[in-house]
Amino acid sequence: QGQLVESGGRTVQAGGSLRLSCAGSGRTFSNYTMGWFRQAPGKEREFVASISWSDGNTYYADSVKGRFTISRDNAKNTVYLQMNSLKPEDTAVYYCAAARVTTAQAMELLNYYGMNYWGKGTLVTVSS
């Protein structure tokens, strides 16, 4: 009853751009705050960006501010992450998540178990 599937991950050179997609199915996610997280090999999963279901406001980790843009198309039940000016440190598996929280900021505070849905991830590799 509801799933998220990420796509778009690939290898890209530093300074390049990439757009990730997260397609929801099985249910509408229009009333879920959506977020992107990432996990580098051997590292903790970390918050990247989120977008509220209630007002559409967005929130970003400091490390990606000005470079990444999260957006959503509720008609397509899809959330996107536009990634520009990519850096090698952006290399990670990127995960899409959904939670029944109101604000984008609240998404950052949720741990793995606080999410209602997780995708299985898509790998982004940024070469230097």
Side-chain angles (χ1 to χ4, degrees):
Q1 297 183 5
Q3 60 181 306
L4 301 172
V5 179
E6 304 93 337
S7 63
R10 65 195 70 182
T11 299
V12 63
Q13 293 183 342
S17 297
L18 201 60
R19 190 180 77 158
L20 305 182
S21 297
C22 173
S25 62
R27 66 163 301 144
T28 178
F29 288 90
S30 62
N31 60 346
Y32 283 76
T33 291
M34 306 296 296
W36 287 95
F37 294 74
R38 66 187 182 187
Q39 187 169 26
K43 304 296 183 181
E44 293 285 328
R45 190 171 300 189
E46 65 176 352
F47 170 80
V48 175
S50 58
I51 183 166
S52 173
W53 75 267
S54 60
D55 56 14
N57 284 345
T58 58
Y59 184 67
Y60 300 92
D62 287 342
S63 60
V64 305
K65 285 181 179 177
R67 300 189 297 120
F68 291 9
T69 302
I70 188 172
S71 62
R72 67 194 301 167
D73 186 340
N74 287 339
K76 296 182 178 180
N77 214 26
T78 300
V79 63
Y80 305 95
L81 185 68
Q82 179 65 47
M83 310 163 69
N84 298 326
S85 301
L86 284 163
K87 304 175 181 179
E89 49 263 47
D90 295 319
T91 296
V93 176
Y94 283 72
Y95 297 90
C96 180
R100 296 291 286 115
V101 295
T102 301
T103 67
Q105 291 87 342
M107 196 75 164
E108 183 184 28
L109 304 178
L110 295 176
N111 60 26
Y112 178 87
Y113 304 99
M115 303 297 173
N116 293 102
Y117 298 92
W118 282 102
K120 291 186 176 182
T122 185
L123 177 63
V124 173
T125 301
V126 183
S127 61
S128 60

